[in-house]
């Protein structure tokens, strides 16, 4: 007997098939649209630094030979603009990677207490003019979560860095960590400029900056929070923000805590 396509003998089966087919098409269409949008956003973001460098090069060509000050300033400005572009490209790569499941380490285990202590200590050394504190409530030093350590560090650095970038006169960041049941939370609190309700909805969108001109001065590309969100969510965590304009912001992340059995299972898989 020859292979046959199973007969669709009921009308509702056909309907179901059509429905799921259309759903698949819609999803693909949406994905293609998102990719197109990303390419268009990226081109737009790269155009600015390239235009700035081009401007300085024209100045150099025209006046650089006669005016040592222009020579000096244009070269410095071009270098710093090229550095900014390098940083932007690195962040775009980080974002693309954070979106790819394959780069996540499904069997990775981190001890948040250890990572928090180290990152908060390091950030304090890099920013001696800031008081960066760590407050731990009910978090066991042995508590383990399922995340690659480098990714947890990256998330924390993005949040603390933002607290510093958007600070006002109170140069203080408080990182606190705690655990309730099978969930642990990390909160990064700053006392800076805060975020309006309108902007709160958009800050996790890639390339979104509340004040484009001003954040550009601070080196912001509007990608940090998108990277943090993609990373947190890919490890089954959550991230959200509370903020009062003019008073400060509070970014809160949560992760499921691993049980002893989970840890054993993951360690066994690491060995395989
Ligand atoms: P950027 O690299 O520009 O900081 P992010 O994605 O990290 O990009 O943040 C997006 C925007 O959200 C920032 O440009 C800034 O306007 C706002 N923002 C982020 N964190 C804070 C914060 N702690 N306080 C005030 N505004 C913030």
């Amino acid at each position: 007997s020859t292979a046959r396509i199973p007969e669709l003998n009921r009308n509702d089966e056909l309907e179901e098939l059509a429905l799921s087919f259309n759903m698949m098409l819609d999803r693909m269409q949406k994905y293609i649209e998102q990719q197109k949008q990303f390419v268009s956003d990226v081109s737009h973001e790269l155009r600015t630094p390239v235009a700035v460098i081009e401007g300085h090069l024209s100045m150099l060509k025209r006046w650089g030979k006669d005016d040592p000050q222009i020579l000096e300033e244009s070269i410095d400005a071009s270098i710093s603009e090229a550095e900014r572009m390098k940083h932007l490209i690195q962040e775009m790569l980080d974002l693309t990677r954070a979106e790819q499941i394959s780069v996540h380490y499904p069997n990775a285990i981190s001890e948040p207490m250890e990572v928090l202590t180290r990152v908060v200590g390091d950030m304090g050394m890099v920013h001696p003019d800031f008081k960066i504190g760590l407050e731990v409530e009910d978090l066991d030093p042995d508590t383990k979560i399922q995340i690659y350590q480098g990714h947890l560090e990256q998330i924390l650095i993005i949040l603390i860095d933002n607290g510093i970038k958007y600070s006002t006169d109170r140069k203080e960041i408080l990182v606190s960590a705690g655990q309730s049941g099978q969930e642990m939370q990390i909160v990064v609190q700053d006392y800076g400029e805060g975020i309006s309700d309108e902007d709160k909805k958009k800050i996790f969108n890639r390339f979104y900056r509340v004040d484009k001109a001003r954040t550009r001065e601070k080196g912001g590309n509007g990608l940090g929070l998108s990277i943090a969100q993609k990373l947190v969510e890919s490890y089954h965590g959550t991230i959200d923000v509370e903020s009062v304009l003019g008073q400060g912001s509070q970014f809160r992340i949560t992760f499921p805590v691993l049980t002893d059995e989970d840890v054993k299972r993951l360690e066994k898989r690491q060995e395989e």
Side-chain angles (χ1 to χ4, degrees):
S1 69
T2 49
R4 286 167 54 104
I5 295 170
E7 265 166 39
L8 291 162
N9 48 18
R10 289 197 350 245
N11 243 348
D12 50 348
E13 279 181 28
L14 196 61
E15 215 165 283
E16 225 171 87
L17 190 70
L19 245 139
S20 49
F21 183 75
N22 288 341
M23 233 155 68
M24 229 166 68
L25 270 185
D26 286 346
R27 224 177 290 159
M28 261 167 61
Q29 194 63 40
K30 203 172 147 212
Y31 178 76
I32 292 168
E33 285 308 318
Q34 279 170 352
Q35 292 302 311
K36 272 194 199 157
Q37 188 60 46
F38 185 60
V39 172
S40 142
D41 290 346
V42 166
S43 320
H44 182 82
E45 294 294 326
L46 283 172
R47 209 176 289 148
T48 311
V50 171
V52 173
I53 292 173
E54 200 179 20
H56 285 293
L57 288 177
S58 314
M59 292 249 286
L60 275 177
K61 185 165 184 191
R62 242 191 270 172
W63 293 298
K65 280 191 281 307
D66 313 314
D67 190 334
Q69 201 185 336
I70 286 186
L71 185 74
E72 178 84 12
E73 281 175 11
S74 290
I75 289 177
D76 285 349
S78 301
I79 291 174
S80 85
E81 204 57 34
E83 268 161 12
R84 183 203 296 283
M85 204 155 99
K86 198 165 77 181
H87 177 70
L88 170 61
I89 291 168
Q90 183 56 51
E91 281 197 326
M92 289 190 304
L93 279 175
D94 285 346
L95 178 65
T96 318
R97 290 205 190 111
E99 283 172 338
Q100 286 168 355
I101 294 302
S102 60
V103 299
H104 298 114
Y105 303 81
N107 305 325
I109 302 172
S110 292
E111 292 187 347
M113 235 344 254
E114 190 269 322
V115 177
L116 278 164
T117 312
R118 190 159 32 80
V119 171
V120 169
D122 288 352
M123 293 299 277
M125 277 202 287
V126 181
H127 301 277
D129 49 331
F130 268 83
K131 187 174 158 236
I132 307 176
L134 176 62
E135 198 176 86
V136 177
E137 318 140 12
D138 295 335
L139 181 65
D140 201 314
D142 295 329
T143 294
K144 293 179 179 60
I145 59 176
Q146 184 178 358
I147 185 171
Y148 167 61
Q149 192 167 301
H151 285 157
L152 181 58
E153 288 167 7
Q154 195 175 5
I155 295 162
L156 291 170
I157 291 170
I158 288 169
L159 296 181
I160 297 172
D161 237 4
N162 278 350
I164 291 171
K165 270 197 293 194
Y166 306 108
S167 63
T168 47
D169 39 340
R170 188 165 163 193
K171 308 234 168 292
E172 207 178 316
I173 310 279
L174 180 63
V175 181
S176 48
Q179 184 176 339
S180 48
Q182 283 311 102
E183 189 181 85
M184 72 149 304
Q185 319 91 44
I186 301 171
V187 175
V188 178
Q189 163 86 55
D190 68 58
Y191 305 91
E193 52 193 60
I195 304 158
S196 72
D197 286 342
E198 193 57 41
D199 285 321
K200 264 183 235 170
K201 294 178 219 144
K202 303 180 198 154
I203 52 171
F204 292 98
N205 297 347
R206 57 187 183 212
F207 299 117
Y208 185 78
R209 281 152 282 185
V210 172
D211 181 339
K212 280 224 169 203
R214 216 150 47 88
T215 37
R216 209 179 120 74
E217 275 165 35
K218 299 181 185 182
N221 297 312
L223 289 177
L225 288 177
S226 334
I227 295 169
Q229 186 186 43
K230 288 281 174 334
L231 285 176
V232 168
E233 288 177 353
S234 65
Y235 289 104
H236 314 293
T238 65
I239 179 165
D240 49 58
V241 61
E242 272 174 42
S243 182
V244 178
L245 207 54
Q247 286 184 25
S249 311
Q250 207 178 50
F251 284 85
R252 183 169 177 275
I253 55 183
T254 69
F255 286 110
V257 169
L258 293 173
T259 63
D260 291 346
E261 289 88 80
D262 292 332
V263 173
K264 265 186 225 142
R265 183 171 41 85
L266 293 176
E267 279 172 348
K268 207 166 139 220
R269 275 205 245 144
Q270 284 171 354
E271 284 159 20
E272 278 162 12

